[in-house]
Amino acid sequence: ALRHDREMASATIRPLGMSCQRVALRLRARTASAATPAGRHFVFTPQTSPLRAVASLAHRLPAWQPASRPALQMRLHASSATATEPAAAALSKADVVDVLKERGLLDACTNEDELRKACAEGSLSVYCGFDPTADSLHLGNLLGIVVLAWFQRCGHTPVALLGGATGRVGDPSGKSAERPVLDDDTINANTAGIKAILERILANGAADAGTHAPPAVVMNNLDWFGSMGFLEFLREVGKYARVGTMMAKDSVKTRLDSEQGMSFTEFSYQLLQGYDFCHLFKEHDVRVQVGGSDQWGNITAGTDLIRRLADKEGAWGVTFPLLLKADGRKFGKSEDGAVWLSPERLSPYKFYQYMLQSTDADVVRFMRMLTFVPLAEIEAIEASMSADGYVPNTAQKRLAEEVTRFVHGKEGLTQALKATEGLKPGADTVLDAATLEALAGDIPTAELARDEVVGKTVVDVMAATGLQKSKGEAKRMIKGGGARLNNVKVEDEDATIGEEDVIEGRVLLLAAGKKNKLLVRVM
């Protein structure tokens, strides 16, 4: 228990630049006969709080008592029944700049020393913007949410800003051509989809962080731009902008040097994003903006505008590096396109599988950047990867579980793990209807009327769905031991499908061989 307590204490205070070398429990004997607690043995589970284990041990040794019971009780009062809350409470006071640096999430900061000082003085509001270019965010956007969540865990308020207005213009940063203009209905639908994702993921992060975490806020910049006219914007905002400074931005220079050039609309984007920061600073006391490294120009446009328009200091910009694979390619793209964060676009199972495919060269860095696993534990995982007896993909499984839980919640992770187990070649795990239906877009699917399934032979259904080319081929598959119904081997080529085989009256799973599976929806 004491060793666990030391390890927990070290993990807790490491973000503060300190480490715990020794934890001790001092006991004094009430009587001379109680010199040692010989013959006494105590068992504590891994879920037992080390501090409570120590207290229990002390109370169960009647001839012994803590040398300083008030001090022990004070420590117990500060500790909860779980081992995670003391760490969370200490982290809420940690220097978030150090945390981001240690995890490879800090690329640049407008004034690092001033930001540290402001964070130490009290809670700040911190925002990151998300434009509705699609109805779902993708894995590349997740870093922004992770950085917001780290600020939240360190006691600051995360603000996710929906670009209901800026999404109608389009950010030129990192783009070689102008974005296509979306109609209002599409932008509104995209905004609603992204809002739901942000609320879900930030809620998952807050629940995992503990009760100390300030609740997240989701806002939409259309709320202030929607009623602002062009002349008002030029008069109130445009006169504070300097064209020379705007022209000097890398995103502008790159586009101006290209054949396509840059439209006035795109050129104005940095001023719109800059005003977002200025509005949030003045009206909601939001003092920090975070974004990807390609957003540096837009972020500094905001801090500059705040100095000119609000005539105040105390606003900071922070950027994080883009998430790249070891070979330099962007992480978050698959052969089928973006790795979406919406379960409607990409099932939790597919999302889990994508994370599971991370290479050994990437997995440790991704775990630092995309998860909240303590660094000491990540270092232990990294060391184990080169040790004898390491089971391949152990690190990848941990990464996939942590990120899937953050994005899709505990239910989504459970669904992904069930599906992963049930779809393994030759698996005998029986899946529930909800898990199977969630896989409809991930494995071949067929629909049959109930009378085409119930009472029919497995051979008939395999042929009717096209899982096997003919009934003869289906019979040979059964005879060879390769046919399965709901992951149960079909032994008899005359076996029929009963009502009880239709899971929850809706679906069943057929397999021909270890990898060839088919979901059948019974209508």
Side-chain angles (χ1 to χ4, degrees):
L2 290 176
R3 183 169 62 253
H4 185 189
D5 202 13
R6 179 180 64 78
E7 293 169 352
M8 185 184 75
S10 293
T12 300
I13 65 178
R14 186 172 289 105
L16 304 178
M18 299 182 288
S19 62
C20 179
Q21 299 298 327
R22 184 168 176 263
V23 174
L25 173 67
R26 298 182 183 276
L27 301 173
R28 67 169 178 263
R30 286 179 181 150
T31 66
S33 61
T36 61
R40 294 185 180 273
H41 301 277
F42 303 94
V43 178
F44 301 106
T45 69
Q47 288 73 34
T48 305
S49 166
L51 298 176
R52 295 197 179 279
V54 168
S56 175
L57 183 149
H59 284 294
R60 290 171 65 181
L61 294 174
W64 290 69
Q65 62 179 347
S68 179
R69 184 175 296 279
L72 179 61
Q73 292 299 333
M74 181 176 68
R75 290 182 71 197
L76 283 172
H77 180 71
S79 173
S80 74
T82 65
T84 56
E85 288 190 14
L91 186 56
S92 69
K93 298 180 178 63
D95 186 336
V96 67
V97 178
D98 280 342
V99 172
L100 296 179
K101 275 190 170 183
E102 290 172 349
R103 303 192 78 97
L105 291 171
L106 183 63
D107 181 69
C109 178
T110 53
N111 193 315
E112 197 174 301
D113 292 336
E114 286 186 4
L115 178 57
R116 288 180 191 276
K117 182 179 178 182
C119 288
E121 290 174 350
S123 178
L124 302 177
S125 291
V126 184
Y127 96 94
C128 185
F130 302 88
D131 274 351
T133 54
D135 60 1
S136 171
L137 299 174
H138 53 77
L139 194 56
N141 302 125
L142 189 60
L143 270 186
I145 306 175
V146 169
V147 171
L148 285 180
W150 274 119
F151 271 96
Q152 185 179 38
R153 286 167 179 253
C154 292
H156 308 288
T157 300
V159 178
L161 182 64
L162 298 166
T166 45
R168 287 165 164 79
V169 174
D171 183 4
S173 301
K175 300 296 177 183
S176 58
E178 190 163 356
R179 293 176 185 267
V181 177
L182 303 177
D183 61 75
D184 286 356
D185 289 343
T186 300
I187 291 174
N188 292 337
N190 290 352
T191 301
I194 290 174
K195 180 182 179 182
I197 292 169
L198 288 167
E199 289 176 340
R200 183 189 76 237
I201 297 178
L202 289 169
N204 291 341
D208 185 56
T211 55
H212 79 283
V217 178
V218 179
M219 305 176 74
N220 188 336
N221 62 14
L222 190 62
D223 292 342
W224 50 87
F225 277 125
S227 59
M228 182 181 289
F230 181 63
L231 292 179
E232 180 185 358
F233 183 76
L234 289 179
R235 184 183 69 241
E236 300 298 330
V237 182
K239 68 178 181 179
Y240 294 99
R242 293 294 172 264
V243 174
T245 303
M246 295 175 70
M247 295 279 287
K249 305 295 183 186
D250 288 339
S251 59
V252 174
K253 289 193 293 185
T254 301
R255 288 292 300 280
L256 289 177
D257 292 339
S258 68
E259 292 183 6
Q260 292 82 5
M262 175 180 254
S263 70
F264 174 75
T265 301
E266 286 187 302
F267 180 67
S268 304
Y269 184 92
Q270 59 177 291
L271 198 52
L272 295 176
Q273 185 171 328
Y275 183 73
D276 277 340
F277 197 0
C278 190
H279 175 87
L280 292 170
F281 179 86
K282 292 196 303 179
E283 302 298 328
H284 302 283
D285 197 30
V286 175
R287 300 175 65 190
V288 184
Q289 180 182 178
V290 301
S293 56
D294 59 345
Q295 292 293 307
W296 180 253
N298 294 338
I299 291 174
T300 53
T303 55
D304 183 60
L305 190 60
I306 289 170
R307 281 192 295 270
R308 294 175 181 274
L309 200 155
D311 194 25
K312 286 184 179 180
E313 298 290 337
W316 300 279
V318 174
T319 59
F320 47 84
L322 299 180
L323 194 61
L324 302 176
K325 296 181 180 180
D327 59 8
R329 290 182 298 151
K330 280 188 176 181
F331 183 66
K333 298 286 186 180
S334 70
E335 293 179 359
D336 300 322
V339 179
W340 300 106
L341 305 185
S342 165
E344 289 76 28
R345 283 268 202 154
L346 191 73
S347 71
Y349 163 74
K350 275 287 191 181
F351 183 88
Y352 176 88
Q353 290 297 316
Y354 181 84
M355 299 304 303
L356 196 61
Q357 292 165 14
S358 302
T359 65
D360 285 350
D362 290 323
V363 65
V364 173
R365 182 165 50 87
F366 291 165
M367 198 174 294
R368 285 195 186 99
M369 297 178 75
L370 292 173
T371 80
F372 306 94
V373 176
L375 288 176
E377 191 172 341
I378 294 175
E379 289 166 5
I381 292 172
E382 183 177 20
S384 72
M385 293 175 68
S386 57
D388 294 337
Y390 173 75
V391 178
N393 283 337
T394 299
Q396 282 83 347
K397 287 179 182 178
R398 181 65 186 278
L399 172 68
E401 288 174 8
E402 293 293 333
V403 181
T404 305
R405 183 189 295 110
F406 181 52
V407 173
H408 293 291
K410 292 180 180 178
E411 290 185 3
L413 174 60
T414 299
Q415 184 184 97
L417 292 175
K418 281 184 180 179
T420 299
E421 187 63 31
L423 293 179
K424 281 182 181 177
D428 56 7
T429 304
V430 178
L431 300 176
D432 56 79
T435 301
L436 285 172
E437 287 179 331
L439 294 171
D442 301 325
I443 61 174
T445 304
E447 292 183 358
L448 291 178
R450 188 168 298 275
D451 59 6
E452 293 179 288
V453 176
V454 177
K456 302 295 184 180
T457 65
V458 174
V459 168
D460 290 336
V461 177
M462 290 178 79
T465 56
L467 182 59
Q468 295 289 273
K469 294 179 180 179
S470 66
K471 293 182 181 180
E473 192 173 285
K475 288 181 179 180
R476 287 191 293 273
M477 178 63 67
I478 293 173
K479 188 175 181 180
R484 288 175 176 262
L485 171 62
N486 296 330
N487 281 342
V488 178
K489 183 185 289 188
V490 179
E491 304 283 0
D492 186 355
E493 61 186 53
D494 294 323
T496 59
I497 298 175
E499 192 69 52
E500 69 279 4
D501 295 315
V502 183
I503 300 172
E504 297 177 32
R506 307 196 315 255
V507 291
L508 56 85
L509 183 68
L510 289 173
K514 290 185 176 182
K515 296 183 179 180
N516 194 13
K517 297 179 185 285
L518 176 75
L519 176 68
V520 180
R521 281 178 162 160
V522 181
M523 311 306 288

